[in-house]
Amino acid sequence: VYEKSIEQLNNGKFVGVVGGDHSSPLGLLKALNDTQNERFGILHVDAHHDLRKAYEGFTYSHASIFYNAMNECDKISNLVQFGIRDYSNEEAQTLIDYGYKGACLYDTDMQQQLAWGVSLENVFSPYIEKLPRNVYLSIDIDGLEPLNCPNTGTPVPGGLRYGELEHLIFMVVRSGRNIIGFDLCEVGDSVDGWDANVGSRILYQLCGALLASQGKIPYK
């Protein structure tokens, strides 16, 4: 992934990775780290922090990608997470230890604010504002409610609705930030094609958001 990403980035292309488990895009993050002139932040949607030092003895697992990325990519300025609801105490403490470099809108907090009548825009905005000018989007489909991804590997009750994820992605565009790359991971297989249906629509939105943020297509 690193070698292919470097090749395409050096040819002036934008790169997105479609996983596979969530360890897949680490090579792209490293390639961006080695080719970008400016630092960049990560907007990460997931049910899990993915901040384990290792998972079942495997250092480069799907549960460790952002622990590894934050340690190995010096141009990543910060990690902003959404939808997290299944995690260990160690991961939560790791995020706290990042200080200003880490932030998380936990799913429980999001649902509570929405139940109080806070608008989705006002729930998301403080976290969008933590991101720098250049942003990488990392979407694990299990960040959505399981009804949208029933066959993903590790579904968890709760999560964002499809429309909420779409709104979040395009809030980044409207904020004037540049989307420099993305990944979409953990889309499961199903006989009726439902998981692929939802995944393909998210991929379509990610492509459009990146191109709109870079001024390649118009966006209103």
Side-chain angles (χ1 to χ4, degrees), residues 49-202:
H49 275 305
D50 290 352
L51 288 171
R52 295 177 183 268
K53 293 181 181 179
Y55 182 64
E56 296 183 345
F58 183 32
T59 302
Y60 287 98
S61 77
H62 63 92
S64 305
I65 179 171
F66 293 109
Y67 179 84
N68 292 324
M70 295 293 282
N71 283 345
E72 298 177 19
C73 300
D74 60 356
K75 287 183 183 164
I76 295 177
S77 62
N78 60 330
L79 173 67
V80 181
Q81 301 183 308
F82 292 80
I84 310 301
R85 54 197 187 277
D86 187 16
Y87 53 93
S88 68
N89 288 335
E90 179 186 23
E91 291 177 288
Q93 186 60 53
T94 296
L95 189 73
I96 292 169
D97 291 344
Y98 287 153
Y100 72 91
K101 295 181 68 174
C104 181
L105 175 59
Y106 287 98
D107 187 60
T108 301
D109 296 336
M110 183 186 82
Q111 302 299 342
Q112 185 177 62
Q113 290 186 63
L114 292 175
W116 287 342
V118 181
S119 72
L120 193 63
E121 194 87 5
N122 287 336
V123 173
F124 287 160
S125 287
Y127 294 87
I128 296 291
E129 290 170 4
K130 295 178 183 293
L131 292 164
R133 186 175 71 166
N134 296 318
V135 179
Y136 177 91
L137 302 182
S138 185
I139 312 297
D140 186 325
I141 204 166
D142 69 31
L144 292 178
E145 293 177 322
L147 63 88
N148 283 307
C149 53
N151 295 288
T152 190
T154 50
V156 182
L160 282 72
R161 298 178 179 178
Y162 175 87
E164 292 170 342
L165 174 59
E166 183 180 15
H167 190 77
L168 174 62
I169 290 169
F170 280 92
M171 278 185 71
V172 177
V173 179
R174 293 197 303 275
S175 74
R177 288 168 171 82
N178 301 318
I179 299 172
I180 61 170
F182 64 79
D183 64 73
L184 173 63
C185 295
E186 310 273 0
V187 179
D189 191 18
S190 54
V191 174
D192 63 2
W194 175 243
D195 297 69
N197 185 325
V198 175
S200 65
R201 292 172 188 272
I202 295 171

